[in-house]
Amino acid sequence: MGVFKMVFSELTIGDFLEEMVEKDPNHEFMVYPDRDLRFTYQQFDERVNLLAKGLLEIGIGKGDHVGIWAKNVPDWLTLLFATSKIGAVLVTVNTAYKSHELAYVLEQSDMKALAIIDGYQDVDYIEIVYELIPELKTQERGKLKSEKFPFLDSVIYVGPEKHRGMYNTNELLLLGKHGDETEFQKIKASVDCNDVVNMQYTSGTTGFPKGVMLTHRNILNNGYYIGERQKFTEEDRLCICVPLFHCFGIVLAVMATFSHGATMVMVELFDPLMVLAAVQKERCTALYGVPTMFIAEYSHPMFDMFDLTSLRTGIMAGSTPPIEAMKKVVNDMNMTQITSVYGLTEGSPGFTQTSVDDPLEKRVETVGKPLPECEVKIVDPETGDTLGPHETGEICCKGYNVMKGYYKMPEKTREVIDEDGWLHSGDLATVDKEGYYSIVGRIKDMIIRGGENIYPREIEEFLYTMPGVLDVQVVGISDEKYGEIVGACIILEEGAELTEEDVRDYARTKIARFKVPKHVFFVDEFPLTASGKIQKFILREQAEKMLKEKLAKEEESL
């Protein structure tokens, strides 16, 4: 197979997959190294077609919403491509959700079918589903009449086991073998690249989660350009350990890989040892992760036992990469061509990305330049005026990658997409004279101390340089005198011993007094979303609580 070059695509994801199968049917599409499960492009496409026809047989069709609540299991991707071929919409459900959040998404998304696995961590998905939908145990499969969720017809178990009232994937594949090929081809031909293919619920750090509607055109092209910035070819093998339910997995990983005819090396659930073993065993050339994942890998006590010399590129994203972590990944993990991507789910998600050709300093300190076919600008959050180089404002994006909108939330959509089609991110950024963007923080995360604007990222980057600091997050803590003061939450390197005063002394001599953390808290971990993003609003609450406890203890000892 020669080097495949795509241009901006108006194909559906299903049609694009079939083109890739024609080009090189026997090239590896997906590998699970822990169980030696392998699919070529052709084998995968055949399984996709069977599942697509199976879904049609149980009444799932064009425009229907199909939920998936699962870790990165092998048939997660089969469902993604099968729904895309029949014009259904895959609704991705966060693996960390519990019953209350699942009930909200089932109802808000008008979900017609839900595919689940046994569970995740301490959450039993099957128990939750039976609890929310008791009718499952007494009604005929596919003819569910749920009082609470009137749209829901079917529940599908992803795996061979049988559960009362649910189909399983094996049965659907069998139904697909006997399904109507003519009807399948007819429906497939009616799907358009501007149809919604995927709906992802934003983390909901403010208010209820919103269903972001993304089209074939949105995510296929965004993924392609993201792969281009890493110079992907069919020879690349990407280790995917980020969750598929999130844009990082579904677009930056899956769409970037398959649009270049490359191979996906899958890790079902993030574990630093499993990732290191997968990279070594499959000679992966690329690896993705949020900063906390990379830190867990290179600081693992068994890190030196693994051969990572095959690695070349990858992406550190999800939250703005700490400069020191990027340097460690370049120097210790052989990822000399690592890139970083900035974006939001609403932008499919990529706005900007560094390129493998960029100087190391730009790849480490910025999130790169705008991706092809989209415009990016920085505006004053108050006036909306476009700002110049090195001025801090809100980063906005316009182009093919902007979502169709939030499902059934037109007012919320209008709050983030203005009349001229610009998507407002809520993030603060700057751009340099060469056109490289840097993210400063969330507008809501900015600390205002007695009228001084303080950007947590700047202090975090500084504290990363302190010996003994493994990871750090800076938050604003409410204060009667200044309105807000600076609090630093620090995870120490193994064996390191630091006191609050050590940190403050280190900072006092090197950064402005008003930026020096007034309070320092040493913690074992940060609160994370299931996709690995740090939840600053929870961290802020925890810091406020720790401060109250600390002050109470000090009063007692007086």
Side-chain angles (χ1 to χ4, degrees):
M1 179 174 173
V3 174
F4 170 69
K5 276 286 173 204
M6 157 185 153
V7 288
F8 190 88
S9 178
E10 302 288 355
L11 290 176
T12 64
I13 285 166
D15 285 346
F16 198 94
L17 175 63
E18 289 175 12
E19 275 204 359
M20 300 311 283
V21 172
E22 274 180 41
K23 286 185 169 72
D24 194 352
N26 299 318
H27 194 66
E28 276 190 331
F29 174 82
M30 174 171 78
V31 178
Y32 277 78
D34 60 338
R35 63 206 82 170
D36 213 27
L37 178 70
R38 294 169 190 276
F39 283 97
T40 63
Y41 271 77
Q42 183 163 4
Q43 288 165 339
F44 179 73
D45 189 48
E46 285 166 0
R47 191 173 180 88
V48 165
N49 290 341
L50 288 178
L51 189 58
K53 288 191 279 185
L55 291 170
L56 290 174
E57 289 296 309
I58 65 163
I60 305 296
K62 198 172 174 185
D64 288 335
H65 291 182
V66 178
I68 171 114
W69 195 24
K71 296 177 292 190
N72 294 1
V73 293
D75 273 330
W76 204 110
L77 288 180
T78 321
L79 260 166
L80 166 66
F81 284 87
T83 48
S84 78
K85 285 201 181 195
I86 59 171
V89 178
L90 191 72
V91 180
T92 57
V93 182
N94 190 316
T95 50
Y97 276 2
K98 293 189 177 173
S99 58
H100 177 72
E101 293 123 326
L102 177 68
Y104 170 79
V105 171
L106 276 171
E107 192 172 5
Q108 206 280 331
S109 70
D110 300 325
M111 203 181 283
K112 191 168 181 182
L114 171 66
I116 63 167
I117 56 168
D118 291 324
Y120 169 76
Q121 291 178 340
D122 60 339
V123 187
D124 187 324
Y125 291 0
I126 292 167
E127 193 180 292
I128 286 174
V129 166
Y130 280 137
E131 186 188 303
L132 289 176
I133 315 155
E135 299 93 341
L136 262 183
K137 289 193 169 175
T138 57
Q139 295 182 0
E140 195 184 331
R141 291 184 311 176
K143 294 187 179 165
L144 181 65
K145 289 283 169 277
S146 164
E147 196 182 322
K148 204 170 175 187
F149 311 107
F151 274 83
L152 194 66
D153 284 353
S154 302
V155 176
I156 299 158
Y157 178 76
V158 182
E161 291 85 1
K162 290 185 190 299
H163 295 280
R164 189 183 286 274
M166 302 184 198
Y167 292 101
N168 66 29
T169 37
N170 286 11
E171 290 169 318
L172 293 185
L173 293 165
L174 196 60
L175 281 171
K177 267 187 184 165
H178 306 289
D180 187 333
E181 181 65 25
T182 312
E183 181 61 17
F184 171 50
Q185 292 300 336
K186 191 173 144 194
I187 285 177
K188 190 153 66 75
S190 74
V191 182
D192 184 84
C193 71
N194 292 301
D195 292 340
V196 176
V197 68
N198 177 221
M199 208 152 92
Q200 299 182 31
Y201 277 79
T202 55
S203 303
T205 50
T206 54
F208 286 107
K210 300 177 281 288
V212 177
M213 297 186 286
L214 300 175
T215 66
H216 295 254
R217 193 170 183 263
N218 282 150
I219 67 174
L220 178 58
N221 288 292
N222 202 251
Y224 172 70
Y225 290 128
I226 282 160
E228 282 294 281
R229 287 272 165 106
Q230 297 168 85
K231 296 213 166 151
F232 273 180
T233 71
E234 70 281 355
E235 297 305 317
D236 279 293
R237 299 173 75 77
L238 169 65
C239 180
I240 302 177
C241 56
V242 294
L244 291 172
F245 71 77
H246 189 264
C247 255
F248 202 169
I250 213 169
V251 185
L252 277 69
V254 177
M255 295 297 141
T257 314
F258 112 94
S259 64
H260 287 82
T263 301
M264 290 178 258
V265 176
M266 306 296 298
V267 175
E268 194 167 295
L269 191 61
F270 176 74
D271 175 280
L273 270 184
M274 292 290 279
V275 172
L276 295 167
V279 169
Q280 175 176 300
K281 181 171 186 248
E282 294 298 327
R283 306 295 295 153
C284 293
T285 58
L287 173 62
Y288 284 5
V290 295
T292 49
M293 288 176 171
F294 280 107
I295 291 168
E297 286 151 16
Y298 66 62
S299 59
H300 196 281
M302 292 168 75
F303 176 74
D304 292 337
M305 292 172 61
F306 294 93
D307 176 5
L308 308 181
T309 53
S310 59
L311 283 175
R312 169 183 72 82
T313 187
I315 295 172
M316 191 189 293
S319 57
T320 312
I323 291 168
E324 291 305 309
M326 281 288 258
K327 285 178 180 168
K328 291 275 283 182
V329 169
V330 168
N331 296 327
D332 299 356
M333 295 181 74
N334 206 52
M335 294 176 68
T336 52
Q337 297 184 346
I338 191 166
T339 69
S340 62
V341 174
Y342 165 74
L344 336 165
T345 307
E346 292 86 340
S348 301
F351 286 22
T352 69
Q353 185 179 2
T354 51
S355 162
V356 296
D357 298 327
D358 284 333
L360 179 62
E361 156 209 352
K362 295 291 188 192
R363 283 189 287 119
V364 164
E365 294 177 7
T366 79
V367 290
K369 294 183 174 182
L371 285 159
E373 308 289 337
C374 63
E375 298 172 69
V376 176
K377 67 176 179 179
I378 291 177
V379 300
D380 183 313
E382 300 298 317
T383 64
D385 294 340
T386 302
L387 299 175
H390 306 294
E391 293 184 290
T392 299
E394 183 181 23
I395 184 169
C396 303
C397 181
K398 183 179 182 179
Y400 75 89
N401 59 321
V402 174
M403 65 170 177
K404 261 206 166 169
Y406 296 123
Y407 186 63
K408 297 196 305 190
M409 292 185 179
E411 305 80 16
K412 293 283 182 196
T413 304
R414 281 193 291 273
E415 282 174 24
V416 296
I417 302 173
D418 67 25
E419 288 172 3
D420 297 322
W422 287 96
L423 172 65
H424 289 253
S425 68
D427 286 328
L428 293 167
T430 59
V431 61
D432 66 18
K433 288 194 167 89
E434 295 162 276
Y436 289 89
Y437 286 79
S438 297
I439 305 302
V440 178
R442 293 286 298 166
I443 290 174
K444 291 187 179 74
D445 287 340
M446 189 171 71
I447 301 165
I448 304 174
R449 180 193 181 277
E452 292 279 7
N453 287 358
I454 301 170
Y455 303 111
R457 176 158 167 77
E458 183 191 346
I459 305 168
E460 287 161 5
E461 291 295 358
F462 164 70
L463 290 175
Y464 270 113
T465 65
M466 184 174 185
V469 172
L470 179 67
D471 207 351
V472 58
Q473 290 293 316
V474 167
V475 293
I477 297 171
S478 49
D479 180 74
E480 278 182 29
K481 184 178 177 184
Y482 293 106
E484 278 184 304
I485 48 176
V486 178
C489 299
I490 291 174
I491 298 174
L492 292 174
E493 286 176 351
E494 207 172 323
E497 286 183 24
L498 290 176
T499 65
E500 182 168 1
E501 219 34 57
D502 291 336
V503 176
R504 289 167 50 73
D505 287 345
Y506 183 79
R508 266 193 208 101
T509 57
K510 296 182 178 73
I511 58 174
R513 181 167 284 277
F514 69 87
K515 294 178 188 174
V516 172
K518 172 82 172 162
H519 298 286
V520 179
F521 308 99
F522 297 100
V523 298
D524 295 326
E525 58 185 7
F526 298 134
L528 303 175
T529 65
S531 57
K533 281 188 185 176
I534 291 160
Q535 293 173 300
K536 278 219 168 172
F537 70 107
I538 293 180
L539 196 58
R540 194 178 298 117
E541 289 164 14
Q542 290 175 352
E544 302 256 4
K545 190 180 167 198
M546 288 187 282
L547 178 58
K548 275 183 191 156
E549 287 167 1
K550 178 183 155 189
L551 295 175
K553 272 183 193 168
E554 284 172 5
E555 268 183 39
E556 275 172 30
S557 61
L558 288 174

